[in-house]
Structures are given as structure tokens and as C-alpha cells.
Amino acid sequence: PGLFAHADPAEHYAWYRALGVNVIQTFAVSSNGYAWYKDSATAPVQPGLEHDFLKEITELAHRDGLRVMGYFTVGGNTYWGQKHPEESYGVPSGIHIPFTKTYLDYLSASIRDVLTKTNIDGFMIDWVFSPPLLMAEDEVRWLACEQEMYAELFGEPFPGKENVDAARTLEFQRRALDRCWQAIKTARDETRPEAIIWLSCYDLSHPQVAGSAMLREVDWVMNETPDPERIEAVRDAVGPHARLIQCLSGGSTKYDAAHVLGLIGGGEFRDPLKEGVEV
């Protein structure tokens, strides 16, 4: 909390503008649980925030016709974990939040609030997985809140951990993720239906995600891995309206832009500005 609270949206925007981007993705509520706009009524405001960052960078971008997307780390929120330790696998950590009704109410309220208070064009949802993905543990812990979720999602009492096999556990996680997606989509639809929902996903073939309503209904889908074939594999799984996006980052030499764009272009690098390759 408080990190980069001095950030100047004008300076930040000038950097983006110099790069020639057409979309800016920045925080609505960051993974520590703090909001980047000053009149947040749900998530606490980033301590010491000097500028009304999200609002101001959106205003600057819209003057030049650029879109601005907010950001929510759906499966990770340190503030939430601290306030609701009984509904968390522990913080700070990666994905740690079971998608309980209480949490989804909070997430939905945060989405509604930012869409009401700012003029962002939409928002990215990241870490949309039911835990314990990316955790040290490889099994669902079946916290008391997860046992309650089980009863809600299956319409029957939790039978005890020893009576829940791997297939049933996966079905539990898929149903939990679907309930989360429906809450996110409803919050958008009832607040500002034209807002874009952008899914960022490190594994589009993950069994929690594959074949999900989220994948069929979300507006933009970003493949985080440096393997463009992951996008090709989901073209038939997303809706006809969906925009597919390939992530490029400095996290690995595998993300070399010429290499990745060459794969997208059919084996050799094609300049997207000259050849119309959508990136």
C-alpha cells in the first residue's frame, strides 16, 4: 500500500503516447486490494495517492481517441485476505480467494463502482481461477467457506474431504469459476453494458477454463504465454465477437517479438503495421 502513490498520470500518459499505443491497461484495483481513483466507495483508496490517477489518465487518453482499461486481480486481493482470513488461503500469495458469495458481492460492488465513478472503456480480469492454482499446495483445502460453497453449487451437503475425488473437485472449481464469471458479467451488464471485459489467462487450455461460459462470452482474450498456438487452439471456443490478443513481455527470451510475430504470421516475421497482422 502506498507504492507509486506519487505517480503522475500526465507523465505516465506521455510515455504511452510516445509508444504509439491504442489501448492503455492500468489499475482499477491492484492485487494488494487498493483502488487507483480517489472516490472509491468499495475498495480502499491507495494510501497517499497524489493524483486521481485512473480518472485523469482516462481523460487524457480519451482526448486522443485511446481506450483505457482498468484491472482487477480476481483471484488475489491482499486487503480482502487480511480482512477475511477465513475466506482466504493466506496472504500475501498468488491465487488465494475462494469465490464465496461474500467475496463475489465485494468484487461486483468494486466493478460497479469503478464503472460508475470513472469513464474507463472496460476492465481486464486476471487470475480468474479457483484456488489452489499457483499455490504450493496441490489440493483444495476444503475450508469451511468452501464446504458451504459446495452445498450451494451442488445442492447437497459437503460429504467430507475423503469422499470428494479429483473429478468432483474439478467440477467444484469449474462451477465456482462460472459463478464468479456470471457475477462479473452481471455487474458490467447492469452498470455499463458497452464496457469491454478483457480476460488475461496464462493457460487457455486449463481444465477450469476450457469450455467455460467465460471463454465463450468474454470480449477480449489474451494469451499470456509466448506460444501463439494457444490462441489458435481457442478460436472455436470463444464467441464470434471476441478479440484475440497475444501478450509480449520482457519476462522471458521466448517472448522475442520477431519470433512470436513470425509464428503468428506463418513462419516468418511480418511487420504488423505493413501487413495488417493483428497483434
Side-chain angles (χ1 to χ4, degrees), residues 76-147:
N77 182 311
T78 301
Y79 176 82
W80 171 267
Q82 291 170 336
K83 296 296 182 181
H84 302 269
E86 74 286 357
E87 295 192 21
S88 168
Y89 276 44
V91 294
S93 67
I95 294 168
H96 66 94
I97 303 177
F99 296 144
T100 65
K101 287 183 176 180
T102 307
Y103 175 68
L104 295 183
D105 286 347
Y106 183 78
L107 176 63
S108 296
S110 295
I111 292 170
R112 294 174 190 271
D113 190 66
V114 73
L115 290 178
T116 301
K117 302 285 182 59
T118 76
N119 198 28
I120 57 173
D121 299 281
F123 54 94
M124 177 187 281
I125 51 174
D126 197 7
W127 287 10
V128 192
F129 289 98
S130 182
L133 193 78
L134 302 184
M135 303 288 294
E137 298 81 4
D138 60 2
E139 295 182 349
V140 173
R141 295 184 189 175
W142 295 114
L143 304 173
C145 66
E146 292 176 310
Q147 296 181 33

Coordinates of all heavy atoms in Angstrom, one line a residue, residues 76-147:
G76 N -6.8 -12.8 -6.5 CA -5.9 -12.4 -5.4 C -6.1 -11.0 -5.0 O -6.2 -10.0 -5.9
N77 N -6.3 -10.7 -3.7 CA -6.6 -9.4 -3.2 C -6.1 -9.4 -1.7 O -6.8 -10.0 -0.9 CB -8.1 -9.1 -3.3 CG -8.4 -7.7 -2.8 OD1 -8.0 -7.3 -1.7 ND2 -9.2 -6.9 -3.6
T78 N -4.9 -8.9 -1.5 CA -4.3 -9.0 -0.2 C -5.2 -8.3 0.9 O -5.3 -8.9 2.0 CB -2.9 -8.3 -0.2 OG1 -2.1 -9.0 -1.1 CG2 -2.3 -8.4 1.2
Y79 N -5.8 -7.2 0.6 CA -6.6 -6.5 1.6 C -7.8 -7.4 2.0 O -8.1 -7.5 3.1 CB -7.1 -5.2 0.9 CG -8.1 -4.4 1.8 CD1 -7.7 -3.6 2.9 CD2 -9.5 -4.6 1.6 CE1 -8.6 -3.0 3.7 CE2 -10.4 -3.9 2.4 CZ -10.0 -3.1 3.4 OH -10.9 -2.4 4.2
W80 N -8.4 -8.0 1.0 CA -9.5 -8.9 1.3 C -9.1 -10.1 2.2 O -9.7 -10.4 3.1 CB -10.1 -9.5 0.0 CG -11.1 -10.6 0.2 CD1 -10.9 -11.9 0.3 CD2 -12.5 -10.4 0.5 NE1 -12.0 -12.6 0.6 CE2 -13.0 -11.7 0.7 CE3 -13.3 -9.3 0.7 CZ2 -14.4 -11.9 1.0 CZ3 -14.7 -9.5 1.0 CH2 -15.2 -10.8 1.2
G81 N -7.9 -10.7 1.8 CA -7.4 -11.8 2.6 C -7.1 -11.4 4.0 O -7.3 -12.2 5.0
Q82 N -6.7 -10.2 4.3 CA -6.4 -9.7 5.6 C -7.7 -9.5 6.4 O -7.7 -9.7 7.6 CB -5.6 -8.4 5.6 CG -4.1 -8.6 5.0 CD -3.4 -7.3 4.8 OE1 -4.1 -6.3 4.5 NE2 -2.1 -7.3 4.8
K83 N -8.7 -9.0 5.7 CA -9.9 -8.7 6.4 C -10.8 -9.9 6.6 O -11.7 -10.0 7.4 CB -10.7 -7.6 5.6 CG -10.0 -6.3 5.6 CD -9.9 -5.6 6.9 CE -9.3 -4.3 6.9 NZ -9.1 -3.7 8.2
H84 N -10.6 -10.9 5.7 CA -11.4 -12.1 5.7 C -10.5 -13.4 5.7 O -10.6 -14.2 4.7 CB -12.4 -12.2 4.5 CG -13.3 -11.0 4.5 ND1 -14.5 -11.0 5.1 CD2 -13.1 -9.8 3.9 CE1 -15.1 -9.8 4.8 NE2 -14.3 -9.0 4.1
P85 N -9.7 -13.6 6.7 CA -8.8 -14.7 6.7 C -9.5 -16.1 6.6 O -8.9 -17.0 6.1 CB -8.0 -14.6 8.0 CG -8.9 -13.7 8.9 CD -9.6 -12.8 8.0
E86 N -10.7 -16.1 7.0 CA -11.5 -17.4 7.0 C -11.9 -17.7 5.5 O -12.3 -18.8 5.3 CB -12.7 -17.3 7.9 CG -13.8 -16.5 7.4 CD -13.6 -15.0 7.5 OE1 -12.6 -14.5 8.0 OE2 -14.5 -14.2 7.1
E87 N -11.8 -16.7 4.6 CA -12.1 -16.9 3.2 C -10.9 -16.7 2.3 O -11.0 -16.2 1.2 CB -13.3 -16.0 2.8 CG -14.6 -16.3 3.6 CD -15.8 -15.6 3.0 OE1 -15.7 -15.2 1.8 OE2 -16.8 -15.4 3.7
S88 N -9.8 -17.2 2.8 CA -8.5 -17.0 2.0 C -7.6 -18.1 2.4 O -7.6 -18.7 3.5 CB -7.9 -15.7 2.4 OG -6.6 -15.6 1.9
Y89 N -6.7 -18.5 1.4 CA -5.7 -19.5 1.6 C -4.4 -18.8 2.2 O -3.4 -19.5 2.5 CB -5.3 -20.1 0.3 CG -6.2 -21.3 -0.1 CD1 -7.6 -21.2 0.0 CD2 -5.6 -22.4 -0.7 CE1 -8.4 -22.3 -0.4 CE2 -6.4 -23.5 -1.1 CZ -7.8 -23.4 -0.9 OH -8.6 -24.5 -1.3
G90 N -4.5 -17.5 2.5 CA -3.4 -16.8 3.1 C -2.8 -15.8 2.2 O -2.7 -16.0 1.0
V91 N -2.3 -14.7 2.8 CA -1.7 -13.6 2.1 C -0.4 -13.2 2.7 O -0.2 -13.4 3.9 CB -2.6 -12.4 2.0 CG1 -3.8 -12.7 1.2 CG2 -3.0 -11.9 3.4
P92 N 0.5 -12.5 2.0 CA 0.5 -12.3 0.6 C 0.8 -13.6 -0.2 O 1.6 -14.4 0.3 CB 1.5 -11.2 0.3 CG 2.5 -11.5 1.4 CD 1.7 -11.9 2.6
S93 N 0.2 -13.8 -1.3 CA 0.4 -15.0 -2.1 C -0.1 -14.8 -3.5 O -0.5 -13.7 -3.9 CB -0.4 -16.1 -1.4 OG -1.8 -15.9 -1.5
G94 N -0.2 -15.9 -4.2 CA -0.8 -15.8 -5.6 C -2.3 -15.9 -5.5 O -3.0 -15.2 -4.7
I95 N -2.9 -16.8 -6.2 CA -4.3 -17.0 -6.2 C -4.7 -17.7 -4.9 O -4.3 -18.8 -4.6 CB -4.7 -17.9 -7.4 CG1 -4.4 -17.1 -8.7 CG2 -6.2 -18.3 -7.3 CD1 -4.5 -18.0 -9.9
H96 N -5.6 -17.0 -4.1 CA -5.8 -17.4 -2.8 C -7.3 -17.3 -2.3 O -7.7 -17.7 -1.2 CB -5.0 -16.7 -1.8 CG -5.3 -15.2 -1.7 ND1 -6.2 -14.7 -0.7 CD2 -4.9 -14.2 -2.4 CE1 -6.2 -13.4 -0.9 NE2 -5.5 -13.0 -1.9
I97 N -8.2 -16.8 -3.2 CA -9.5 -16.5 -2.8 C -10.6 -17.4 -3.3 O -10.8 -17.5 -4.5 CB -9.9 -15.0 -3.2 CG1 -8.9 -14.0 -2.7 CG2 -11.3 -14.7 -2.8 CD1 -9.2 -12.6 -3.2
P98 N -11.2 -18.2 -2.4 CA -12.4 -19.0 -2.9 C -13.5 -18.0 -3.3 O -13.7 -17.0 -2.6 CB -12.8 -19.8 -1.6 CG -11.5 -19.8 -0.8 CD -10.9 -18.5 -1.0
F99 N -14.2 -18.4 -4.3 CA -15.3 -17.5 -4.9 C -16.6 -17.6 -4.1 O -17.6 -18.1 -4.6 CB -15.5 -17.7 -6.3 CG -14.2 -17.4 -7.2 CD1 -13.9 -18.2 -8.3 CD2 -13.4 -16.3 -6.9 CE1 -12.8 -17.9 -9.1 CE2 -12.3 -16.1 -7.6 CZ -12.0 -16.8 -8.7
T100 N -16.5 -17.2 -2.8 CA -17.7 -17.2 -2.0 C -18.7 -16.1 -2.4 O -18.3 -15.2 -3.1 CB -17.3 -17.0 -0.5 OG1 -16.8 -15.7 -0.4 CG2 -16.3 -18.0 0.0
K101 N -19.9 -16.2 -1.9 CA -20.9 -15.2 -2.2 C -20.5 -13.9 -1.6 O -20.7 -12.8 -2.3 CB -22.3 -15.6 -1.7 CG -23.0 -16.7 -2.4 CD -24.4 -17.0 -1.8 CE -25.1 -18.0 -2.6 NZ -26.4 -18.3 -2.1
T102 N -19.9 -13.9 -0.5 CA -19.4 -12.7 0.2 C -18.4 -12.0 -0.7 O -18.4 -10.7 -0.9 CB -18.8 -12.9 1.6 OG1 -19.8 -13.7 2.3 CG2 -18.5 -11.7 2.3
Y103 N -17.4 -12.7 -1.2 CA -16.4 -12.1 -2.0 C -16.9 -11.6 -3.3 O -16.5 -10.6 -3.8 CB -15.2 -13.1 -2.2 CG -14.2 -12.6 -3.2 CD1 -13.4 -11.5 -2.8 CD2 -14.1 -13.1 -4.5 CE1 -12.5 -10.9 -3.7 CE2 -13.2 -12.5 -5.4 CZ -12.4 -11.4 -5.0 OH -11.5 -10.9 -5.9
L104 N -17.8 -12.4 -3.9 CA -18.3 -12.0 -5.2 C -19.2 -10.7 -5.1 O -19.2 -9.9 -6.0 CB -19.1 -13.1 -5.9 CG -18.3 -14.4 -6.2 CD1 -19.2 -15.4 -6.9 CD2 -17.1 -14.0 -7.1
D105 N -19.8 -10.6 -4.0 CA -20.6 -9.3 -3.7 C -19.6 -8.2 -3.7 O -19.9 -7.1 -4.2 CB -21.4 -9.4 -2.4 CG -22.6 -10.3 -2.5 OD1 -23.0 -10.6 -3.7 OD2 -23.2 -10.7 -1.5
Y106 N -18.5 -8.4 -3.0 CA -17.5 -7.3 -2.9 C -16.8 -7.0 -4.3 O -16.7 -5.8 -4.6 CB -16.4 -7.8 -1.9 CG -15.3 -6.7 -1.7 CD1 -15.6 -5.7 -0.8 CD2 -14.1 -6.8 -2.3 CE1 -14.6 -4.7 -0.5 CE2 -13.1 -5.9 -2.0 CZ -13.3 -4.8 -1.2 OH -12.4 -3.9 -0.9
L107 N -16.5 -8.0 -5.0 CA -15.9 -7.8 -6.3 C -16.9 -7.1 -7.2 O -16.5 -6.2 -8.0 CB -15.5 -9.2 -6.9 CG -15.0 -9.2 -8.4 CD1 -13.7 -8.4 -8.5 CD2 -14.8 -10.6 -8.9
S108 N -18.1 -7.6 -7.2 CA -19.2 -6.9 -8.1 C -19.4 -5.5 -7.7 O -19.5 -4.6 -8.6 CB -20.5 -7.7 -7.9 OG -20.4 -9.0 -8.4
A109 N -19.4 -5.2 -6.4 CA -19.5 -3.8 -6.0 C -18.3 -2.9 -6.4 O -18.5 -1.8 -6.8 CB -19.6 -3.7 -4.5
S110 N -17.1 -3.5 -6.4 CA -16.0 -2.8 -6.9 C -16.0 -2.5 -8.4 O -15.7 -1.4 -8.9 CB -14.7 -3.6 -6.6 OG -14.5 -3.7 -5.2
I111 N -16.5 -3.5 -9.2 CA -16.7 -3.3 -10.6 C -17.7 -2.2 -10.9 O -17.5 -1.3 -11.7 CB -17.0 -4.6 -11.3 CG1 -15.9 -5.6 -11.2 CG2 -17.5 -4.4 -12.7 CD1 -16.2 -7.0 -11.6
R112 N -18.9 -2.3 -10.2 CA -19.9 -1.3 -10.4 C -19.4 0.1 -10.1 O -19.7 1.1 -10.7 CB -21.1 -1.7 -9.6 CG -21.9 -3.0 -10.0 CD -23.0 -3.3 -9.0 NE -23.5 -4.6 -9.2 CZ -24.5 -4.9 -10.1 NH1 -25.1 -3.9 -10.8 NH2 -25.0 -6.1 -10.2
D113 N -18.6 0.1 -9.0 CA -18.2 1.4 -8.5 C -17.3 2.1 -9.5 O -17.4 3.3 -9.9 CB -17.5 1.3 -7.2 CG -17.2 2.6 -6.5 OD1 -18.1 3.3 -6.1 OD2 -16.0 2.9 -6.3
V114 N -16.3 1.3 -10.0 CA -15.3 2.0 -11.0 C -16.0 2.3 -12.3 O -15.7 3.3 -12.9 CB -14.1 1.1 -11.2 CG1 -14.4 -0.1 -12.1 CG2 -12.9 1.9 -11.8
L115 N -17.0 1.5 -12.7 CA -17.7 1.8 -14.0 C -18.6 3.1 -13.8 O -18.9 3.7 -14.8 CB -18.5 0.6 -14.5 CG -17.7 -0.6 -15.0 CD1 -18.6 -1.7 -15.4 CD2 -16.8 -0.2 -16.1
T116 N -19.0 3.3 -12.6 CA -19.8 4.5 -12.3 C -19.0 5.7 -12.1 O -19.4 6.8 -12.5 CB -20.7 4.2 -11.0 OG1 -21.5 3.1 -11.3 CG2 -21.6 5.4 -10.7
K117 N -17.9 5.6 -11.4 CA -17.1 6.7 -10.9 C -16.1 7.2 -12.0 O -15.6 8.3 -11.9 CB -16.3 6.4 -9.6 CG -17.2 6.0 -8.5 CD -17.9 7.1 -7.9 CE -18.8 6.7 -6.6 NZ -18.0 6.1 -5.6
T118 N -15.7 6.3 -12.9 CA -14.7 6.7 -13.9 C -15.3 6.4 -15.3 O -16.3 5.7 -15.4 CB -13.4 5.9 -13.7 OG1 -13.5 4.6 -14.2 CG2 -12.9 5.9 -12.3
N119 N -14.6 6.9 -16.3 CA -15.1 6.7 -17.7 C -14.2 5.7 -18.4 O -14.0 5.8 -19.7 CB -15.1 8.1 -18.4 CG -15.9 8.0 -19.7 OD1 -16.9 7.3 -19.8 ND2 -15.6 8.9 -20.6
I120 N -13.6 4.7 -17.7 CA -12.8 3.7 -18.4 C -13.7 2.9 -19.4 O -14.9 2.9 -19.3 CB -12.2 2.7 -17.4 CG1 -13.3 2.0 -16.5 CG2 -11.2 3.4 -16.6 CD1 -12.8 0.9 -15.6
D121 N -13.0 2.4 -20.4 CA -13.7 1.7 -21.5 C -14.0 0.3 -21.2 O -14.8 -0.4 -22.0 CB -12.9 1.8 -22.8 CG -12.6 3.3 -23.2 OD1 -13.5 3.9 -23.8 OD2 -11.6 3.8 -22.9
G122 N -13.4 -0.2 -20.2 CA -13.7 -1.6 -19.8 C -12.6 -2.0 -18.7 O -11.9 -1.1 -18.2
F123 N -12.5 -3.3 -18.5 CA -11.5 -3.7 -17.5 C -11.0 -5.1 -17.8 O -11.7 -6.0 -18.4 CB -12.2 -3.7 -16.1 CG -13.4 -4.5 -16.0 CD1 -13.4 -5.8 -15.5 CD2 -14.7 -3.9 -16.3 CE1 -14.6 -6.5 -15.4 CE2 -15.8 -4.6 -16.2 CZ -15.8 -5.9 -15.7
M124 N -9.7 -5.3 -17.4 CA -9.1 -6.6 -17.5 C -9.4 -7.4 -16.2 O -9.3 -6.9 -15.1 CB -7.6 -6.5 -17.7 CG -6.9 -7.8 -17.8 SD -5.1 -7.7 -17.8 CE -4.8 -7.3 -19.6
I125 N -9.6 -8.7 -16.4 CA -9.8 -9.6 -15.3 C -8.6 -10.6 -15.4 O -8.4 -11.3 -16.4 CB -11.1 -10.3 -15.2 CG1 -11.5 -11.0 -16.5 CG2 -12.2 -9.3 -14.8 CD1 -12.8 -11.8 -16.5
D126 N -7.8 -10.7 -14.3 CA -6.7 -11.6 -14.3 C -6.8 -12.6 -13.1 O -7.5 -12.3 -12.2 CB -5.4 -10.7 -14.1 CG -4.1 -11.4 -14.5 OD1 -4.2 -12.5 -15.0 OD2 -3.1 -10.8 -14.3
W127 N -6.0 -13.7 -13.2 CA -6.0 -14.7 -12.1 C -7.5 -15.2 -11.8 O -7.9 -15.3 -10.7 CB -5.4 -14.1 -10.8 CG -3.9 -14.0 -10.9 CD1 -3.1 -14.1 -12.0 CD2 -3.1 -13.7 -9.8 NE1 -1.8 -13.9 -11.6 CE2 -1.7 -13.6 -10.3 CE3 -3.3 -13.4 -8.4 CZ2 -0.7 -13.3 -9.5 CZ3 -2.2 -13.1 -7.6 CH2 -0.9 -13.1 -8.1
V128 N -8.2 -15.4 -12.9 CA -9.6 -15.9 -12.7 C -9.5 -17.4 -12.6 O -9.8 -18.1 -13.6 CB -10.5 -15.4 -13.9 CG1 -12.0 -15.7 -13.5 CG2 -10.3 -13.9 -14.2
F129 N -9.1 -17.9 -11.5 CA -9.1 -19.3 -11.2 C -9.5 -19.5 -9.8 O -9.3 -18.7 -8.9 CB -7.6 -19.8 -11.4 CG -7.1 -19.9 -12.8 CD1 -6.4 -18.9 -13.3 CD2 -7.5 -21.0 -13.6 CE1 -5.9 -19.0 -14.6 CE2 -7.0 -21.1 -14.9 CZ -6.2 -20.1 -15.4
S130 N -10.1 -20.7 -9.5 CA -10.4 -21.1 -8.2 C -9.2 -21.7 -7.6 O -8.5 -22.6 -8.2 CB -11.6 -22.1 -8.2 OG -12.0 -22.5 -6.9
P131 N -8.8 -21.3 -6.3 CA -7.6 -21.9 -5.7 C -7.7 -23.4 -5.5 O -8.8 -23.9 -5.5 CB -7.5 -21.1 -4.4 CG -8.9 -20.7 -4.1 CD -9.6 -20.5 -5.4
P132 N -6.6 -24.1 -5.4 CA -5.2 -23.6 -5.1 C -4.3 -23.4 -6.2 O -3.1 -23.6 -6.1 CB -4.7 -24.7 -4.2 CG -5.3 -25.9 -4.8 CD -6.6 -25.6 -5.4
L133 N -4.7 -23.1 -7.4 CA -3.8 -22.9 -8.5 C -2.7 -21.9 -8.2 O -2.9 -20.9 -7.6 CB -4.6 -22.4 -9.7 CG -3.9 -22.4 -11.1 CD1 -3.9 -23.9 -11.6 CD2 -4.6 -21.5 -12.1
L134 N -1.5 -22.3 -8.6 CA -0.3 -21.4 -8.4 C 0.1 -21.4 -6.9 O 0.9 -20.5 -6.5 CB -0.5 -20.0 -9.0 CG -0.8 -19.9 -10.5 CD1 -0.8 -18.5 -10.9 CD2 0.2 -20.7 -11.3
M135 N -0.5 -22.2 -6.1 CA -0.1 -22.3 -4.7 C 0.8 -23.4 -4.5 O 1.0 -24.3 -5.3 CB -1.4 -22.5 -3.8 CG -2.5 -21.5 -4.0 SD -2.0 -19.9 -3.3 CE -2.0 -20.3 -1.6
A136 N 1.5 -23.4 -3.3 CA 2.4 -24.5 -3.0 C 1.7 -25.8 -2.9 O 2.1 -26.9 -3.2 CB 3.2 -24.2 -1.7
E137 N 0.5 -25.7 -2.3 CA -0.4 -26.9 -2.1 C -1.0 -27.3 -3.5 O -1.2 -26.5 -4.3 CB -1.5 -26.6 -1.1 CG -1.0 -26.3 0.3 CD -0.6 -24.9 0.4 OE1 -0.7 -24.1 -0.6 OE2 0.0 -24.5 1.5
D138 N -1.2 -28.6 -3.6 CA -1.8 -29.0 -4.9 C -3.2 -29.6 -4.7 O -3.7 -30.3 -5.6 CB -0.9 -30.1 -5.6 CG -0.7 -31.3 -4.7 OD1 -1.3 -31.4 -3.6 OD2 0.0 -32.2 -5.1
E139 N -3.8 -29.4 -3.6 CA -5.2 -29.8 -3.3 C -6.0 -28.7 -2.7 O -5.5 -27.9 -2.0 CB -5.1 -31.0 -2.3 CG -4.4 -32.3 -2.8 CD -4.5 -33.4 -1.8 OE1 -4.9 -33.1 -0.7 OE2 -4.1 -34.5 -2.2
V140 N -7.3 -28.8 -3.0 CA -8.3 -27.9 -2.4 C -8.2 -28.2 -0.9 O -8.3 -29.3 -0.5 CB -9.7 -28.1 -3.0 CG1 -10.7 -27.3 -2.2 CG2 -9.7 -27.7 -4.4
R141 N -8.2 -27.2 -0.1 CA -8.1 -27.4 1.4 C -9.5 -27.7 2.0 O -9.6 -28.2 3.1 CB -7.6 -26.1 2.1 CG -6.1 -25.8 1.7 CD -5.6 -24.6 2.5 NE -4.3 -24.2 2.0 CZ -3.7 -23.1 2.4 NH1 -4.3 -22.3 3.4 NH2 -2.5 -22.7 2.0
W142 N -10.6 -27.4 1.3 CA -11.9 -27.5 1.8 C -12.1 -26.8 3.1 O -12.4 -27.3 4.2 CB -12.3 -29.0 1.9 CG -12.4 -29.7 0.6 CD1 -11.6 -30.7 0.2 CD2 -13.3 -29.4 -0.5 NE1 -11.9 -31.0 -1.1 CE2 -12.9 -30.2 -1.5 CE3 -14.3 -28.4 -0.6 CZ2 -13.6 -30.2 -2.8 CZ3 -15.0 -28.4 -1.9 CH2 -14.6 -29.3 -2.9
L143 N -11.8 -25.4 3.0 CA -12.1 -24.5 4.1 C -13.6 -24.6 4.4 O -14.4 -25.0 3.6 CB -11.6 -23.1 3.8 CG -10.2 -22.9 3.4 CD1 -10.0 -21.5 2.9 CD2 -9.2 -23.3 4.5
A144 N -13.9 -24.1 5.6 CA -15.4 -24.1 5.9 C -16.2 -23.3 4.9 O -17.3 -23.7 4.5 CB -15.6 -23.4 7.3
C145 N -15.6 -22.2 4.4 CA -16.3 -21.5 3.3 C -16.5 -22.3 2.0 O -17.5 -22.1 1.3 CB -15.7 -20.1 3.1 SG -14.0 -20.2 2.3
E146 N -15.5 -23.1 1.7 CA -15.5 -23.9 0.5 C -16.6 -25.1 0.7 O -17.2 -25.5 -0.3 CB -14.2 -24.5 0.2 CG -13.2 -23.4 -0.2 CD -11.8 -24.0 -0.5 OE1 -11.3 -24.7 0.4 OE2 -11.2 -23.7 -1.5
Q147 N -16.7 -25.6 1.9 CA -17.7 -26.6 2.2 C -19.1 -26.0 2.0 O -20.0 -26.6 1.5 CB -17.5 -27.1 3.6 CG -16.2 -27.9 3.8 CD -16.1 -28.5 5.2 OE1 -17.1 -28.9 5.8 NE2 -14.8 -28.5 5.7

